[in-house]
């Protein structure tokens, strides 16, 4: 009697993430990331695959785009990306303080949107 047949390409998510089970709270599917000029030696094969995507991107990539390109579950990619952010390989750009919209303007937009529904 033989056991269930296993697909050799099927790798469990916790193996891909090095046993990590949670992503950073600030990494969401719509988060846009940019790559730093950091060496990729010593990274896992999946982490190197993520970094290779940025080589031809010419800018930032959203976590959802990375998951789609690599055909990996988004939850797994969020954890991979979190590790790459912690190691300094990826960063999430933030707007400069002078480029933030005025709070009163945002309140007015919110009032206008609420009046439309």
């Amino acid at each position: 009697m033989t056991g269930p047949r296993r697909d050799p390409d099927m790798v469990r998510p916790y193996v891909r993430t090095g046993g990590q089970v949670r992503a950073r709270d600030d990494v969401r599917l719509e988060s846009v990331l940019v790559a730093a000029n950091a060496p990729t030696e010593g990274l896992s094969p999946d982490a190197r695959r993520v970094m290779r995507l940025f080589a031809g991107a010419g800018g930032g990539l959203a976590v959802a785009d990375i998951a789609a390109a690599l055909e990996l579950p988004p939850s797994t990619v969020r954890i991979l990306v979190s590790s790459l952010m912690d190691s300094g390989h990826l960063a999430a750009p933030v707007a400069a303080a002078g480029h933030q919209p005025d709070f009163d303007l945002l309140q007015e937009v919110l009032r206008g949107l609420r009046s439309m529904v």
Side-chain angles (χ1 to χ4, degrees):
M1 181 172 183
T2 62
R5 189 179 144 139
R6 294 186 184 190
D7 183 356
D9 293 328
M10 178 63 163
V11 178
R12 298 241 181 232
Y14 62 84
V15 173
R16 291 187 180 277
T17 63
Q20 282 188 269
V21 295
R22 291 189 54 103
R24 291 169 39 154
D25 290 336
D26 61 341
V27 176
R28 299 188 310 256
L29 290 178
E30 67 273 12
S31 298
V32 176
L33 305 166
V34 294
N37 292 328
T40 58
E41 297 87 34
L43 294 178
S44 72
D46 285 317
R48 286 194 305 269
R49 287 177 62 206
V50 170
M51 295 306 295
R52 276 194 297 269
L53 290 176
F54 286 91
L61 290 172
V63 174
D65 295 331
I66 296 168
L70 298 180
E71 297 180 353
L72 291 174
S75 57
T76 301
V77 172
R78 285 183 64 230
I79 295 169
L80 287 169
V81 163
S82 292
S83 294
L84 288 167
M85 290 175 75
D86 291 341
S87 67
H89 288 87
L90 295 177
V94 294
H99 293 87
Q100 298 292 328
D102 180 56
F103 182 76
D104 293 330
L105 174 64
L106 291 176
Q107 288 290 342
E108 189 62 33
V109 169
L110 183 58
R111 277 193 288 279
L113 290 172
R114 285 182 177 155
S115 71
M116 293 172 68
V117 287

